[in-house]
Amino acid sequence: MTDRELDAAGVTDPALRAAYRVCRTLNARHGKTYFLATRLLPPARRPAVHALYGFARWVDDIVDALDPALGTDRRLRAVTDLSATLETALRTGHAQEPVVAALADTARRYRIPHAHFHDFMTAMRSDLTVTDYPTYADLRAYMHGSAAVIGLQMLPVLGTVVPQHEAAPYAAALGVAFQLSNFLRDVGEDLDRGRVYVPADLLAAHGVDRALLRWSRDTGRHDPRITGALKEFEALTRDVYRQAAPGIALLHPLSRPCIRTAFVLYGRILDAVGRDGYAVLHRRAVVPRRHRALLAADGLTRVTVARLRARRAGHPTLPPPPAGAVTVPPGRPVAEEAV
């Protein structure tokens, strides 16, 4: 993370600045799509976004670790211990772990409701014990904590032109849409982790079950029944994008280019899956680099236009919030590994 971003955000404590840098590294390493979009935000807001997404990626690394030495029990203990650490940090403003310190600092600065973090950790724990979802309603209940709350956490950072509660349903829907895109892209990888996120009743309607998915993954062979189920899941996902789209106009004008770019980039994941023949059980669909570059260039143009319009209209910028009081004890090493 650049000194310019941290200075703009009002982060002055050296250990806390180092903690935010770790979160930026985690976000850049694992969340290339959203990391690209984040660079379109005003510098003062970027550290907070990196803290929110970096923490989520960090916990996800714990849950999804494929190392046989990190069995389910050990990972469950790690997530449970982390939940307790987070609770303490949110309550007291003191954190031993730098990634938690950055998150707690962001939560305090932007007055993000603690319930969003509690719900997220609950969803992460369920990932270690729940292996499939009977219906879409069951999946949506899970995604409240795993995805919708991420959108809700972001709202105070992005700013809105309406009361936040009016924008909240759209922000939650956008978080869900992003995760559904990832679920479609990662069907094969998730199956290797023992999880199937495509609802069982949707699969069954096309004559698909876990055994057929496993057969396709293991043999590299296609089956039209699986393709049909994945196409329906894609259609369901696109419908959530349509529900979320009106929310972009409710954000502060200087935040809209970032979220619009993320909206389009994640939507392109669906396009890539279709172009690749819905072969997600055999390989990961990738948005071509040239597409990402073009969208980034478009986003930069929109940022420039938004800033000019804001100056002409006399709209307020997105100033940094008051400095928080979260601390990292001196001498605490800044660790970048999740487990």
Side-chain angles (χ1 to χ4, degrees), residues 43 65 91 94 102 107 122 157 171 180 194 197 202 204 229 236 238 283 303 308 334:
R91 185 178 69 253
H94 180 82
T122 297
V157 179
L180 286 171
Y197 289 106
L202 186 156
L236 179 154
R238 290 190 185 278
R283 55 186 173 269
V303 166
L308 288 173
V334 180

Side-chain angles (χ1 to χ4, degrees), residues 51-333:
L52 294 173
Y53 272 79
F55 178 81
R57 296 289 178 180
W58 189 58
V59 179
D60 197 54
D61 278 350
I62 297 174
V63 172
D64 285 347
L66 289 174
D67 185 347
L70 301 173
T72 299
D73 289 344
R74 183 175 171 185
R75 284 179 287 159
L76 187 57
R77 285 196 302 272
V79 174
T80 300
D81 291 346
L82 180 55
S83 294
T85 299
L86 178 60
E87 292 276 355
T88 300
L90 292 172
R91 185 178 69 253
T92 67
H94 180 82
Q96 293 284 337
E97 171 53 58
V99 176
V100 177
L103 181 77
D105 183 62
T106 290
R108 177 172 295 230
R109 287 169 183 266
Y110 290 95
R111 298 179 176 85
I112 301 172
H114 295 177
H116 296 332
F117 303 107
H118 303 159
D119 291 347
F120 173 75
M121 295 304 296
T122 297
M124 294 302 96
R125 280 193 296 272
S126 76
D127 258 338
L128 293 170
T129 56
V130 178
T131 60
D132 54 36
Y133 295 87
T135 68
Y136 182 57
D138 296 313
L139 182 64
R140 284 300 293 254
Y142 159 76
M143 287 192 296
H144 166 74
S146 66
V149 297
I150 303 296
L152 296 174
Q153 291 168 21
M154 285 285 294
L155 266 187
V157 179
L158 298 173
T160 59
V161 294
V162 297
Q164 279 189 28
H165 71 271
E166 293 182 20
Y170 301 101
L174 191 57
V176 169
F178 288 171
Q179 186 165 65
L180 286 171
S181 295
N182 289 339
F183 284 162
L184 180 60
R185 180 195 62 196
D186 299 338
V187 170
E189 294 175 18
D190 288 329
L191 187 63
D192 289 343
R193 297 185 180 100
R195 303 187 205 121
V196 177
Y197 289 106
V198 182
D201 61 348
L202 186 156
L203 292 172
H206 293 268
V208 180
D209 58 15
R210 182 186 287 259
L212 184 61
L213 295 175
R214 189 72 260 171
W215 168 85
S216 180
R217 177 72 167 170
D218 292 342
T219 64
R221 296 175 66 181
H222 295 262
D223 188 290
R225 293 171 293 178
I226 294 175
T227 301
L230 295 177
K231 285 183 176 180
E232 182 177 344
F233 192 67
E234 177 196 1
L236 179 154
T237 302
R238 290 190 185 278
D239 186 58
V240 179
Y241 274 99
R242 284 190 287 271
Q243 295 170 29
I248 297 176
L250 305 183
L251 299 175
H252 190 284
L254 295 182
S255 294
R256 290 174 198 163
C258 165
I259 301 306
R260 183 189 178 280
T261 298
F263 181 94
V264 177
L265 279 170
Y266 274 91
R268 292 288 174 85
I269 292 174
L270 303 179
D271 298 338
V273 169
R275 274 197 313 272
D276 200 32
Y278 300 89
V280 291
L281 280 161
H282 313 131
R283 55 186 173 269
R284 171 181 276 215
V286 176
V287 178
R289 184 173 297 180
R290 66 181 182 280
H291 291 185
R292 296 199 303 269
L294 288 172
L295 286 170
D298 178 71
L300 286 171
T301 300
R302 291 174 182 272
V303 166
T304 301
V305 171
R307 288 174 180 170
L308 288 173
R309 288 177 176 172
R311 290 195 192 102
R312 290 171 182 168
H315 291 161
T317 60
L318 280 165
V326 176
T327 59
V328 183
R332 169 68 178 175

